[in-house]
Amino acid sequence: MPTHPVPSWWQRNQRTLRAAAVIVLLALCGLMILALVREQTGTQGLLVGFGLALFPVPLLLAAFRWLTAPLPIPWRSHLFAFAWGACAATLVALLANGFATNWLASSVVVDSPDQADTLGATVIAPVVEETTKAGAILLLFLFRRRHLDSVVSGIAAAGITAAGFAFTENILYLGTAYGEDTVLDPESLSGSATVGTFLIRIILAPFAHPLFTAMTGIAFGMLAGLSRRRRVLRWVLPLLGWFTAVLLHAIWNGSASFANYTFLAVYGLFMIPVFGALTWLAIWSRLYELRVVRDTLPAYAAAGWFSEPEPWSLSSMRARSMARAMARRSHGPEAARTVAAYQHDATALALLRARADNGATAPDFAAREHELLQHLWTNRPLAAPPTTSAALALSRPSTPRWAGYPGR
C-alpha cells in the first residue's frame, strides 16, 4: 500500500510560527513608535495625546465592521490591519518623512526650511504614507484572499488600516500641541493648540486617512470580480487606486499649507463630496452583496440545498438578526453562532457563484463550492428552521425557482 510522507515539524507548525512572527514584528514596531513619540512629546504629552486620539477609533471600527456584516471578516484580519497601520506603517512613514524633509532642507531648498516642510508634507508624505498603508491591503490580498475579495471588504480593510495609522499620528500631533500649551500657557481655549488640533483632526476630519486609503482598498477589492484574462487591467487597477489615494492625500496636505480659507474651501467643496461619494459606494456595495444572495441562492434552493423561503431570509439583515434571536431563545448562544456561520457560508457561496457566472471563476472554485455546501448541510438541521421562520414572519415575497446548480 502507498505510504504518505510524514509532515515535518515546520509543515505542522508553519501557520502558528508565521502568526507569531507577525505579532512579534508588529509589537517591536509598536514599541519603537511609542519611544519615538514619547521622545517628541514627553510622557505627559504621550498620555494626553493617547487619550484624545482614542475618541474616533471605536466609531470608525464599528462603521467598517458594520459594512462587512453581510459577510463578516474575521477579527484577526482586521486586528492585523489596525496594528499594521498603527505600528508598522506609522514607524516607516515617520522615519522616511523625517529623512526626506531633512534631505530637502539640506540639499534642495537650503535657504527655506518652511518650503522644505511644505514639499515634504505635500509631495513626500502622501507617497510614503499611502504606500506603507497599502502594505497591509497587499498582504491580506496575497495571504488572506477570502478576507479581501470585494469592494466592501477592500474598503473595510483599508479604512481600518488607515484608522490605526491616524490613531498613532494623532497621538503625536496632539501630544506635541499639548507640549506647546504647557510652555505658552494660553489664556483661553481659543488660543489652545491642543483644542485646535483636536477640532481639526478628531472632530472635523477623522475620516481623512480612511478616505485616502479606501481608494487602494477599492482597487484591490475589484480584482476579485475581474477575469484572469484581463491581465493588463489586473496590474493597472491597484496602481490606479494607489495613485488616487496619493493624489487625494496630497490635495489635503497641500490645502493646509496655504493661507486664508484654502483649507476650508477644499474641505467643504472637495473632501466632503468625495467622502459622500465613498459612503454611497460603500452602502451600495453592501446592498449589492445582499442582492446577489437573493438572486443566486434560489438556484441552490431548487437543487435542494435550501428551503424556498431561505434565500430571501438570507438576503435580509433584519431576517438574519431575527433568525439568530430565534435560535438563541430556543437553543442558546451556541445555536445562534451556528446560524451566524450558516448565514456567512450562504453569502460566501452566493458571491463565489456570482463571480463565476460573470467570468471571474476562482482557481479553487469547485473545491470551495463543495466545502461551503458541506458546511451548510452540516449546520442546516439547526439553522434552517429559524431562517425559514424569519422569512415567513416578515412576509417573504415569492421567489423564482432555478435549475442547473449542484443538487443533494
Side-chain angles (χ1 to χ4, degrees), residues 93 97 101 114-131 133 165-166 169-170 173 200-201 205 207-213 244-259 261-267 270-271:
N97 288 342
T101 301
D114 290 340
Q115 189 176 359
D117 291 338
T118 301
L119 284 174
T122 306
V123 178
I124 304 298
V127 174
V128 171
E129 294 177 10
E130 294 310 320
T131 302
K133 286 183 286 182
F165 186 96
E169 189 180 61
N170 286 338
Y173 279 100
I200 293 175
R201 300 190 68 86
F207 62 84
H209 275 289
L211 172 62
F212 309 147
T213 313
T244 305
V246 171
L247 181 61
L248 289 176
H249 200 150
I251 292 173
W252 176 263
N253 285 4
S255 67
S257 303
F258 292 96
Y261 298 100
T262 304
F263 173 79
L264 293 178
V266 170
Y267 177 84
F270 183 71
M271 286 300 174

Side-chain angles (χ1 to χ4, degrees), residues 83-367:
W84 179 277
C87 302
T90 315
L91 177 62
V92 174
L94 184 63
L95 296 176
N97 288 342
F99 173 82
T101 301
N102 291 336
W103 176 78
L104 288 172
S106 61
S107 303
V108 180
V109 283
V110 180
D111 299 328
S112 180
D114 290 340
Q115 189 176 359
D117 291 338
T118 301
L119 284 174
T122 306
V123 178
I124 304 298
V127 174
V128 171
E129 294 177 10
E130 294 310 320
T131 302
T132 56
K133 286 183 286 182
I137 304 169
L138 178 61
L139 289 172
L140 287 174
F141 183 78
L142 293 176
F143 298 103
R144 291 293 183 269
R145 182 72 61 88
R146 294 177 184 175
H147 303 164
L148 208 164
D149 60 354
S150 66
V151 170
V152 168
S153 59
I155 292 175
I160 290 175
T161 303
F165 186 96
F167 170 64
T168 304
E169 189 180 61
N170 286 338
I171 295 175
L172 176 60
Y173 279 100
L174 288 165
T176 302
Y178 178 80
E180 293 177 5
D181 286 343
T182 302
V183 173
L184 300 177
D185 191 21
E187 297 181 357
S188 63
L189 291 178
S190 61
S192 170
T194 305
V195 172
T197 304
F198 183 85
L199 288 175
I200 293 175
R201 300 190 68 86
I202 306 300
I203 303 300
L204 290 179
F207 62 84
H209 275 289
L211 172 62
F212 309 147
T213 313
M215 302 299 122
T216 307
I218 290 170
F220 274 96
M222 291 175 65
L223 288 182
L226 286 179
S227 170
R228 292 186 173 272
R229 291 175 294 181
R230 306 181 71 174
R231 296 179 180 179
V232 174
L233 187 57
R234 292 179 69 86
W235 280 101
V236 170
L237 195 59
L239 293 176
L240 182 61
W242 170 83
F243 177 77
T244 305
V246 171
L247 181 61
L248 289 176
H249 200 150
I251 292 173
W252 176 263
N253 285 4
S255 67
S257 303
F258 292 96
N260 301 324
Y261 298 100
T262 304
F263 173 79
L264 293 178
V266 170
Y267 177 84
L269 300 178
F270 183 71
M271 286 300 174
I272 290 296
V274 172
F275 176 69
L278 175 65
T279 303
W280 174 85
L281 175 63
I283 295 175
W284 181 89
S285 300
R286 184 181 190 264
L287 294 174
Y288 172 76
E289 289 190 352
L290 293 173
R291 287 196 298 272
V292 168
V293 173
R294 182 192 62 207
D295 296 340
T296 304
L297 291 187
Y300 288 97
W305 292 100
F306 301 98
S307 64
E308 185 180 352
E310 284 186 88
W312 182 87
S313 183
L314 291 165
S315 69
S316 165
M317 296 306 295
R318 182 184 176 192
R320 286 184 174 206
S321 178
M322 181 180 292
R324 293 193 299 270
M326 288 178 178
R328 185 179 295 106
R329 286 195 300 269
S330 301
H331 301 285
E334 185 62 32
R337 286 191 286 270
T338 300
V339 174
Y342 187 75
Q343 295 167 351
H344 176 280
D345 291 336
T347 306
L349 177 66
L351 295 176
L352 181 75
R353 169 59 70 171
R355 285 194 289 268
D357 291 344
N358 290 329
T361 306
D364 61 343
F365 170 80

Side-chain angles (χ1 to χ4, degrees), residues 4-19:
H4 298 283
V6 178
S8 65
W9 181 86
W10 166 254
Q11 290 173 325
R12 295 194 307 270
N13 298 280
Q14 58 180 328
R15 293 188 63 181
T16 301
L17 292 174
R18 283 201 299 260

